[in-house]
Amino acid sequence: MDTLKNKTLYRLSKSCVGAAESAAVAAVMRSEFLGMGTKVKEFERGLEEFLGRRVVCVANGTSALQLALQACGIKPGDEVLVQSLTYVATFQAISASGATPIACDICPKTFTIDLDDASKKVTSRTKAIVPVHYAGGVGPLSDIYAFAKNHGLRAIEDAAHAFGTTYAGKLVGSIGDVAVFSFDGIKNITSGEGGCVASNDEALIQSISDARLLGVINDSNQRYSGERSWDFDVKEQGWRYHMSDLMASIGIEQLKRFPDFRSKRQELATRYVELLQNEKKIELLQNNYHDVVPHIFPIILEKDVNRNALRRNLLAKGVETGVHYKPNHHLTFFGSKNYKSLVTTDDVFSRILTLPMHPDLVRADVDAVADHLLSEIVN
Ligand SMILES: *Cc1c(COP(=O)(O)O)cnc(C)c1O
């Protein structure tokens, strides 16, 4: 909770960092080595211990997705199935790999990819599916994997919202083909900017650790021992997408704090559900907040609610809200060719509203936000 001109401001989301992160950054500053070195290695080992899988850290979640797609052999001419209701980062990462993102509809209960719609869009060029774990929920993940198997597709999970979420008792990123996380400032944990790829596929992890350093073969290991390659070879397209020690030092502290972040986010979401589930003008996502660690908390408003007016009135009371997201098939770059409407996505987009969710809120803040919301829409 922040105050603005003596009025409480319930921020939609924010970075939750403190003395531990500041001290860690200051220590890297004092070392006079800010680039990629031992801190990145330490953060990767921490994430590997947490997820029980191989992990490679990169500059952000978007580059993590792009490198994961590239390492899966996705290339120009290929098609990748993905829900339209996601941040444009997912679409840009697919398009950066040279492939075409094929916009699919969503299930109305979880806002994850609608497999019936996706199956109609499979062609001989389809090579992968990118399930987006919207708001932290994964939907019917085992059905998604069965679909991928049936159609011979790689599955690259966009788990940017879902760090810490479990499915059938297992952490997202500890199961499946490939999972990608984002550590941008407002995600479930942050390293300032940053992201990672988690997988059991050793060759894929090796390929990404080279590709993130301009494709210089085995440069990662050199840097972890404080050295630099000079007599090197490059065998594929690489990018300048590695993580810095400055970023990793923040991530290391955030990972230690994650158990608190997780229970806080789950507690706040559970409270929102208690307060809003019986309100006729509001629909909620069907997520179980024992398993799901919510990154955002979207609600769906009844058609007769004027969302713009509601957002203005709530902001006047200090409640920030958001709209996640403008669907990608509405964007000129991704939608204008062969535009087709997506029934559930377009309906959801017209009525969706995201409420404040971050670990520095307390239960009383959620109560206040719900009070303001209900007093605006119930009359
Ligand atoms: C944040 C986000 C990304 C990309 O992560 P960055 O670290 O910001 O590049 C990808 N997909 C979704 C759904 C996101 O919310």
Side-chain angles (χ1 to χ4, degrees):
M1 179 178 11
D2 296 61
T3 52
L4 190 68
K5 293 191 215 119
N6 295 325
K7 206 173 80 184
T8 303
L9 178 67
Y10 303 99
R11 288 176 64 180
L12 177 61
S13 56
K14 70 181 198 69
S15 302
C16 296
V17 288
E21 289 83 353
S22 296
V25 167
V28 173
M29 293 284 199
R30 282 195 301 276
S31 80
E32 299 184 331
F33 180 89
L34 310 186
M36 177 173 149
T38 54
K39 287 288 157 190
V40 173
K41 183 176 180 180
E42 185 183 333
F43 188 32
E44 285 177 343
R45 293 303 91 87
L47 291 164
E48 288 183 341
E49 211 165 283
F50 181 74
L51 295 172
R53 278 210 157 170
R54 296 281 282 122
V55 169
V56 51
C57 282
V58 294
N60 51 55
T62 309
S63 54
L65 273 169
Q66 184 193 333
L67 292 178
L69 289 155
Q70 178 178 323
C72 286
I74 306 305
K75 55 184 190 311
D78 293 346
E79 292 178 351
V80 176
L81 301 169
V82 58
Q83 66 188 61
S84 185
L85 192 78
T86 181
Y87 189 40
V88 67
T90 321
F91 272 63
Q92 287 286 24
I94 294 168
S95 124
S97 78
T100 305
I102 304 297
C104 297
D105 212 350
I106 46 169
C107 303
K109 300 272 183 229
T110 55
F111 297 1
T112 53
I113 192 164
D114 173 353
L115 294 174
D116 290 334
D117 187 50
S119 70
K120 291 180 200 139
K121 291 172 175 165
V122 173
T123 71
S124 57
R125 294 181 295 281
T126 311
K127 294 289 151 54
I129 183 168
V130 174
V132 177
H133 300 330
Y134 183 90
V138 298
L141 193 58
S142 55
D143 294 348
I144 293 172
Y145 271 99
F147 176 93
K149 197 170 173 212
N150 282 342
H151 294 282
L153 310 178
R154 292 299 296 254
I156 296 104
E157 298 175 37
D158 180 344
H161 290 189
F163 189 81
T165 287
T166 56
Y167 177 77
K170 300 208 170 80
L171 279 169
V172 166
S174 75
I175 47 172
D177 190 357
V178 186
V180 168
F181 295 98
S182 162
F183 305 133
D184 88 20
I186 58 166
K187 294 286 168 38
N188 289 2
I189 62 168
T190 186
S191 52
E193 296 289 338
C196 78
V197 181
S199 179
N200 255 358
D201 182 340
E202 191 61 42
L204 176 129
I205 292 292
Q206 188 54 51
S207 151
I208 294 172
S209 39
D210 290 344
R212 69 177 164 176
L213 286 163
L214 298 170
V216 174
I217 287 174
N218 213 21
D219 200 21
S220 289
N221 285 333
Q222 295 276 339
R223 289 181 187 236
Y224 290 153
S225 41
E227 285 158 29
R228 294 293 289 269
S229 315
W230 64 271
D231 183 13
F232 56 73
D233 196 11
V234 169
K235 292 184 182 164
E236 58 172 0
Q237 173 68 58
W239 310 87
R240 196 74 173 153
Y241 284 170
H242 59 285
M243 181 180 271
S244 73
D245 273 11
L246 205 51
M247 296 155 77
S249 69
I250 300 171
I252 290 164
E253 296 308 317
Q254 289 266 300
L255 189 55
K256 291 182 200 158
R257 297 176 64 187
F258 182 67
D260 291 335
F261 291 158
R262 168 173 48 204
S263 47
K264 194 56 167 302
R265 284 180 181 274
Q266 291 178 327
E267 177 197 330
L268 298 173
T270 302
R271 184 64 180 156
Y272 271 131
V273 172
E274 269 169 31
L275 295 169
L276 303 177
Q277 65 188 348
N278 293 322
E279 174 49 49
K280 286 191 191 64
K281 294 193 174 188
I282 294 172
E283 280 170 62
L284 302 176
L285 287 177
Q286 304 285 297
N287 280 331
N288 169 346
Y289 294 107
H290 294 291
D291 302 331
V292 171
V293 182
H295 163 54
I296 51 176
F297 195 86
I299 63 171
I300 305 300
L301 302 164
E302 197 180 59
K303 278 198 177 59
D304 67 0
V305 176
N306 179 334
R307 179 173 62 187
N308 285 342
L310 174 62
R311 294 191 67 200
R312 261 195 317 275
N313 295 344
L314 284 173
L315 192 58
K317 292 178 171 176
V319 179
E320 289 184 349
T321 56
V323 175
H324 293 92
Y325 295 93
K326 182 168 182 180
N328 285 272
H329 69 288
H330 290 297
L331 305 177
T332 304
F333 188 52
F334 295 114
S336 59
K337 251 196 305 165
N338 313 317
Y339 174 86
K340 280 200 193 68
S341 68
L342 299 169
V343 178
T344 307
T345 303
D346 290 336
D347 173 46
V348 160
F349 173 51
S350 68
R351 302 191 287 129
I352 198 163
L353 182 77
T354 307
L355 302 180
M357 169 60 72
H358 59 75
D360 285 344
L361 291 171
V362 297
R363 185 183 158 105
D365 296 330
V366 167
D367 290 11
V369 168
D371 260 1
H372 286 313
L373 172 68
L374 294 176
S375 73
E376 286 295 328
I377 64 174
V378 182
N379 36 54

